[in-house]
Amino acid sequence: MKKAVKITDGIFRLGSNIENGDFFEGMWPIPDGVSLNSYIVKGDKIALIDLVDDWDNAPSDLKEQLESIPVDPSEIDYLILNHLEPDHTGWLEDFLKAAPSVELVTNKKGAALIEGFYGITDNVKVIDSGDTIDLGQGKNLEFHNIPNVHWPETMITFEKNSGVLFSCDAFGSYGSIGDSVFDDEISEEEHNLFDVESLRYYANIVGSFSKFVLRAIDKLSDFDIKVIAPSHGIIWRDNPGEIIERYRKFASYLEGPAEEEITVIWGSMYGNTEKVLHSVIKGIRSEGVPVHVHKVPEVNVSWPLASAWKSKGLVFGMPTYEYKMFPPIAAVLNMFSLKHVQNKTVFRFGSYGWSGGAQKDFDAATADMKWDFIDPVEWKGKASEEVHQLAFERGAELARS
Ligand code: FEO
């Protein structure tokens, strides 16, 4: 039987790993899985904080872990819904069959989404930011809105006496959880995985809302937080400040400056752009600046998005295709625009055949992205030695800038 993990007296973590090869939000690869975490807070009354989707083994895992406490779904008084995205609510209708009298606790915007997604209006307790529910036995839940981290209705739940913050998407990460769920129990290898996967999760899911993330972090500075218990990823009890500071840093990249690194995203049809790529990378490395290289369409945009989010400099290598940008790069730029990858210094290079057009298309696509540009390098057909030298110099110029 899968067992719930005790965080402190009366507070338990329930969780499931999604490892079936599905994409998160239907589009982000999760080769190392993702966890869906829920929590039980048990006083005289019992609250379940956040649910799971009807996805892979998540419902059966949750049921087994409730049984291990033991808590029968029919004993649960409150289901706290911090955020209505279906990864945390998709199993709601079936869950309510086992817990028909549970009260659903959310804010006004959350209540509208419960009705919108599930047609449910009964047994919904609408709370305001700052409201509390006393569960008895020293368990007191306080609710605070943190809009747009990740949806407008999102809130956090804080158990004041233990200092456990149930933060839902905030401070979350991709990556499955093994037997160890706490930051002080996981191996160095797992810690490194969560370092990488928290950035990718942040850039993919939350990055667009970085201004709201900073507002939420400011709001939480008044809280005496001892444990951060997110709905994705590990629980931070040894050093909750680590994940808060990591999120603060990720959010700060929206307005810049990001890290002194360069992300190169490139695609090539017949190798003419690829050959010059090597000259650009040599130029960047000649200045000692770290460079991350992503080839499209081979790589899903999830990784270049994460890499670009934390890099001050970006390079796009692509040829012209039918008067326009090489389409896989156009798709990357479309995502970067959607996700507000802004305040970067950018260099573009690429070949063309009988006609150019990629640069004009690139300029139009990036006009509103708050980017500074190094002069581009374009050439017809095969690059000459002069083109290679110019590309090397522009790579070095970008690195210096
Ligand atoms: Fe984990 Fe925005 O849902």
Side-chain angles (χ1 to χ4, degrees), residues 249 252-253 257-262 309-313 344:
K249 189 171 68 170
S252 75
Y253 298 154
E259 305 296 314
E260 294 192 346
E261 299 174 2
I262 292 174
W309 189 265
K310 77 185 273 273
S311 296
K312 263 187 188 174
K344 308 290 181 188

Side-chain angles (χ1 to χ4, degrees), residues 296 316 318 324-336 361 365:
V296 294
F316 294 92
M318 68 175 133
K324 301 283 188 183
M325 289 186 281
F326 185 54
I329 296 277
V332 168
L333 282 169
N334 187 46
M335 183 62 79
F336 281 17
D361 194 23

Side-chain angles (χ1 to χ4, degrees), residues 235-267:
I235 297 170
W236 301 80
R237 69 174 178 190
D238 182 53
N239 188 7
E242 181 180 338
I243 190 67
I244 294 173
E245 285 314 305
R246 193 176 301 159
Y247 261 60
R248 191 197 301 278
K249 189 171 68 170
F250 295 161
S252 75
Y253 298 154
L254 180 78
E255 299 295 341
E259 305 296 314
E260 294 192 346
E261 299 174 2
I262 292 174
T263 290
V264 177
I265 301 149
W266 71 281

Side-chain angles (χ1 to χ4, degrees), residues 24-25 83 85 87-88 150-151 168-169 201 205 231-232:
F24 195 69
E25 288 192 336
H83 172 33
E85 191 162 15
D87 52 331
H88 308 291
H150 149 230
W151 279 6
C168 201
D169 278 1
Y201 171 85
I205 310 298
S231 292
H232 305 291

Side-chain angles (χ1 to χ4, degrees), residues 1-3 14-17 52-68 91:
M1 175 195 274
K2 286 191 165 64
K3 289 191 173 171
L14 321 169
S16 187
N17 293 322
V52 293
D53 196 0
D54 187 7
W55 191 12
D56 206 9
N57 296 321
S60 57
D61 288 349
L62 195 89
K63 279 190 262 190
E64 276 193 36
Q65 289 166 79
L66 282 172
E67 210 177 310
S68 75
W91 188 48

Side-chain angles (χ1 to χ4, degrees), residues 72-84:
D72 188 86
S74 63
E75 297 177 287
I76 297 170
D77 298 282
Y78 302 108
L79 172 57
I80 315 295
L81 295 174
N82 283 318
H83 172 33
L84 267 293

